[in-house]
Amino acid sequence: MKILVINAGSSSLKYQVYDMSSETALASGRVERIGMDSSILVHEPHHTDETSEVSEILDHTTAIRKVLDKLTDAEVGVVKSIDEIEAVGHRVVHGGETFKGSVLVTSEVKAEIRRLFDLAPLHNPACMMGIKAAESNMPNVPQVCVFDTAFHQSMPARSYMYAIPQVLYKKHKIRRYGFHGTSHDYVSKQAAAVVNRPLEDLKIITCHIGNGGSLTAVQGGKSVDTTMGMTPLEGLMMGTRSGDLDPAIVPYTMSKEDLTVNEVNSMLNKHSGLQAISGTSSDMREIEEGMQNGEPNATLAFEMYEYRIRKYIGAYAAAMDGADVIVFTAGVGENSATVRQRVCEKLTFLGVEIDQELNKIRSKEPRYISTPNSKIAVLVIPTNEELMIARDTYRLANNAK
Ligand code: AMP
């Protein structure tokens, strides 16, 4: 069975095609600047060179039609006919409390995702555009939604409740949901395979640190706490997001700087984090370069970023009364030996011992970076959210047959 995986944003759309008989990706690509002038489609078939083309792509339906044209193209295509694609999997950011796992798309599912627009006003409407566009291009193909929040639905109330009037939870569903669930789920399962122990017996701290970042405490294969909250703003310091801060800063800043709700939201989500402290970049590569050149703001940005990851690792070891494995994943976690080194070198109180040479190796394979003596196994595991989405889509589409 071949499966198309779609990750739709408001003006972009990423895709991958999987052959599930071998779980291999046949092609991937992206459409950017949908609805703006000079949209671009970059198609990367895995058997030949990537192609790109600039044209006017007015909406998501047209974007998917163009993607399907590429997938069936005589030279750069990967299927003979679109009928070979037997299911479509969609990444959906917010599943609220309703979706505790992946589901086949029905009219009820779409209505519920629409009801959740309030909780993810930027993300869920875009996901819905992706679903509708796929349905209109492939009307007889099963569509599946895989939610970023679903993995965290196992959290106990003590982790997901905020200490504010309960009426706000009851009326408006204000609680911690957590995100990157597909990634935390994937790397924790991979970690169990790497250390060759049953997932049910393990306490794992998964560090998904990319442009956005979150840590999760995974006990027995289930999320018991995670750093992102009702929205992806809470927790770690990120590329452009502030992460944790005293909530009183919000009304104080609004009154002092005469900011609107939208302006303060934008400040915390788009103009904070590494970008704000370094004053130059949200990209960890540039922060590290700045630090090597002795730039004080880049150094401070790095130290704040690394310190908060370390603080949460300590917190999650306490949350689970110990930890067997720490996993680093996503752009920074997979690529920055410096961040991993600096986080781990002050975790000696937990018995963490890093092998400096192993930590420097660059590889796409899951690997140890801790020594055999380390009390906690420290691993680098490349995440693969698309494969997880393809697996769930395959399972649900097969069940529906
Ligand atoms: P992601 O959101 O998972 O795609 O991660 C993107 C981020 O990974 C970029 O913004 C960079 O900050 C970071 N990154 C990628 N490669 C490296 C590297 N070699 N060293 C440090 N950070 C990196």
Side-chain angles (χ1 to χ4, degrees), residues 211 233 236-244 266-284 287 297 300-302 304-305 308:
N211 190 32
L233 184 55
L236 303 178
M237 177 175 171
M238 305 177 217
T240 62
R241 293 192 193 116
S242 65
D244 293 341
S266 162
M267 176 193 89
L268 295 171
N269 278 290
K270 297 189 184 142
H271 306 286
S272 295
L274 290 174
Q275 172 80 54
I277 300 298
S278 70
T280 50
S281 175
S282 61
D283 191 312
M284 183 47 78
I287 302 295
N297 288 333
L300 176 62
F302 182 93
M304 289 169 66
Y305 182 92
R308 208 172 285 185

Side-chain angles (χ1 to χ4, degrees), residues 15 52 59-60 73 97 107 131 136 146 159 164 167 213 325 378:
Y15 64 91
S52 66
D59 54 29
H60 286 63
D73 183 90
E97 288 188 320
S107 46
I131 294 169
S136 70
V146 180
S159 304
I164 55 177
V167 66
V325 187
V378 186

Side-chain angles (χ1 to χ4, degrees), residues 180 208-212 239 274 282-288 305 329-337 339 362 383 385:
H180 298 137
H208 176 112
I209 42 176
N211 190 32
L274 290 174
S282 61
D283 191 312
M284 183 47 78
R285 285 164 288 206
E286 289 179 36
I287 302 295
E288 285 180 19
Y305 182 92
T329 193
V332 178
E334 289 168 33
N335 296 301
S336 174
V339 169
R362 297 184 70 87
T383 194
E385 289 160 282

